[in-house]
Amino acid sequence: MKFYIAALTFLVSASSASAQSAEETVAYIMIGAEGGTSTQVFGGASWKMMLSWKGVARYFIRDENQVEEINIQKVSDCQYLYEQSLFYLKPTRKIFKASQYELNFRNAREYDISNEQPDGNGFIFRMKGLDFQCHPHPDHPDAISCDNQIGFINAGDANRARGALKYFKEKFCPGKAF
């Protein structure tokens, strides 16, 4: 009997440890970010995504010439702050662009993909029902911001991103069905 209880406890803890948080799920929905993964993105640059937690899901995406810092913070079940700052590293570290988005997924339903890469590494999207407002980044108010006229760029796989949106709507933000 003790063996069965121990085995059941192990299985429950193992399955809950592998579940993504709401912030990690939003990171995959928006940019295809997974902690520790490497990917090729538009233009062939190789990027490494590193996840760091300090009350916020924080990703550092870098190659030899630039680093992008992305912070995702939960405001409510369906609302998140999404901050991104892009720095050039050469010849010296210099801010290029920075934005803060207020994202509301309550009515988000599906991706509208405009440019999917044939190798599955990246796509440009808008999301039906996603309400968002863009503001200058609070730490970099003079940097270029809010330049998403073509849509958001996601470095992940479009089918996995669709699955992440479905998972997010089922587990964290039921919102509206249509």
Side-chain angles (χ1 to χ4, degrees):
M1 180 71 164
K2 288 181 183 180
F3 171 76
Y4 291 117
I5 292 172
L8 183 59
T9 302
F10 173 77
L11 290 174
V12 169
S13 64
S15 65
S16 63
S18 65
Q20 283 75 28
S21 70
E23 294 85 351
E24 289 173 296
T25 306
V26 169
Y28 200 86
I29 290 168
M30 296 304 295
I31 59 172
E34 291 183 277
T37 61
S38 294
T39 187
Q40 297 283 125
V41 294
F42 295 92
S46 180
W47 291 64
K48 178 87 171 174
M49 300 181 192
M50 301 301 296
L51 171 64
S52 167
W53 278 97
K54 294 207 186 219
V56 172
R58 173 173 275 173
Y59 291 84
F60 299 94
I61 306 170
R62 82 178 284 145
D63 65 14
E64 63 185 44
N65 298 312
Q66 60 192 19
V67 62
E68 189 166 3
E69 297 176 6
I70 296 171
N71 298 323
I72 298 168
Q73 183 176 3
K74 183 177 180 178
V75 176
S76 70
D77 287 344
C78 295
Q79 294 178 303
Y80 293 79
L81 285 179
Y82 171 83
E83 297 175 340
Q84 67 187 141
S85 306
L86 179 64
F87 296 89
Y88 288 135
L89 299 176
K90 295 179 181 179
T92 59
R93 183 178 164 107
K94 180 181 175 185
I95 187 72
F96 173 66
K97 71 177 183 176
S99 304
Q100 180 187 64
Y101 292 90
E102 294 176 34
L103 304 173
N104 186 336
F105 289 92
R106 182 159 312 280
N107 298 321
R109 295 181 305 282
E110 63 185 90
Y111 284 99
D112 181 12
I113 296 174
S114 60
N115 184 6
E116 187 173 355
Q117 298 299 293
D119 62 3
N121 288 321
F123 58 95
I124 297 173
F125 75 93
R126 294 184 184 274
M127 186 175 295
K128 295 177 182 174
L130 175 67
D131 293 323
F132 68 91
Q133 292 186 354
C134 186
H135 309 282
H137 193 290
D139 295 337
H140 311 288
D142 296 329
I144 298 169
S145 64
C146 305
D147 63 345
N148 63 334
Q149 289 82 15
I150 64 167
F152 293 98
I153 297 173
N154 185 309
D157 176 76
N159 287 325
R160 289 190 65 211
R162 287 182 186 105
L165 178 60
K166 181 180 178 192
Y167 173 79
F168 179 76
K169 296 297 286 182
E170 290 171 357
K171 299 290 183 190
F172 304 110
C173 173
K176 294 183 178 179
F178 51 89

